[in-house]
Amino acid sequence: MDSRVERHAELIVEHCVDIQETDDVYVSAPAAANDLVVALHAELGKRGANPLLSWRNSAASRAYHREMDAEEYALSEHSLAVMEEADALIAIRGDENTAETSDVPPENLSAAQRANQAVQEARPDRWVGTQYPTAGNAQKAEMSTEAYEEFVWTAVNKDWDEQYDHQEQLVELLDPAKEVRIRSGDTTDLTMSVAGMRAVNDDGRKNLPGGEVFTAPVPDSVEGHVTFDKPVLYMGREIQNASLEFEDGEVVDYAADQNEDALGAVLDTDEGARRLGELGIGMNRDIDRFTYNMLFDEKMGDTVHLAVGRAIDECVPDDADIEGNQSATHVDMIVDMSEDSVLEVDGDVVQRDGTFRFEDGF
């Protein structure tokens, strides 16, 4: 077996979810990721864990959702039971066709998320989402399969202690901050309060690859406008040039050059879907190109991403005076900060045209 696959499996078990003897581990994966699943089970066996494997099939999901009525979705009780009993969750991605669900009504996908919000909330504390490099994802990234494999494993199989130290410099600036302002060209000027929220150093534990620093905006504090100049691939549909207008924290207007109805369906998921749940800053410079895969794209250097919907629990301290945003959805969208852009923290510029003030060339 490819040694890069074996290293990937080792990182998942050791670095990400710290598997112990007798842990009940829920593994969710597509058939295309078979090699990683096999290597992963070998690592789980070495540690005496108890894996439960669930194969995902996007064509089957498409068939199901196309026949469902949006009003008929109900909580998947058996999925909830598995989440509640698992000690750890390992979710592996990998597409044979990234557009498989593109002809599913977006309102059905939103309804499914609402119905199964409790499943997401029951996810065990030890969990990780990761990627297996498939031909389908390589094709969407406009790369050969071999080149995409190298891209994925370069971003995944790295020195995460070193990456942590690099990112901690931004955490030290962002964690005590009260206000953040994002400006990019004449299409984005957005301010938000992050007072009382926690800045988190993503060193590849919950997401593999990691490579970002993220926090949660105070839900009603977001003001201004933003245009996401990188496409959003949502449930197989590509949303181009999405733009949002915020007042008192809420999206009051939106537009997109392509698949605007899909963007509208996201925002209509529930009340919280019209507010921001995350501000993230990409810092993994081994991710040096856009690949239509948010697991990688949001970590790309010289970018900022914002997510409408659910706030990440890690960002909201238990004793915070304000709650993080609540929603059944969490959809990330990216702003390119490499040119004519600044990121300000409490009025001080901490990033200019993609370069941080603690990096050479600032």
Side-chain angles (χ1 to χ4, degrees), residues 114-131:
R114 286 194 299 272
N116 287 286
Q117 183 175 356
V119 177
Q120 291 298 317
E121 293 173 349
R123 184 172 56 189
D125 291 337
R126 284 183 289 153
W127 65 270
V128 64
T130 193
Q131 176 77 35

Side-chain angles (χ1 to χ4, degrees), residues 39-60:
L40 186 59
H41 277 67
E43 293 298 324
L44 293 172
K46 291 176 185 177
R47 289 157 180 77
N50 304 315
L52 172 64
L53 175 60
S54 173
W55 291 110
R56 293 198 314 278
N57 184 308
S58 58

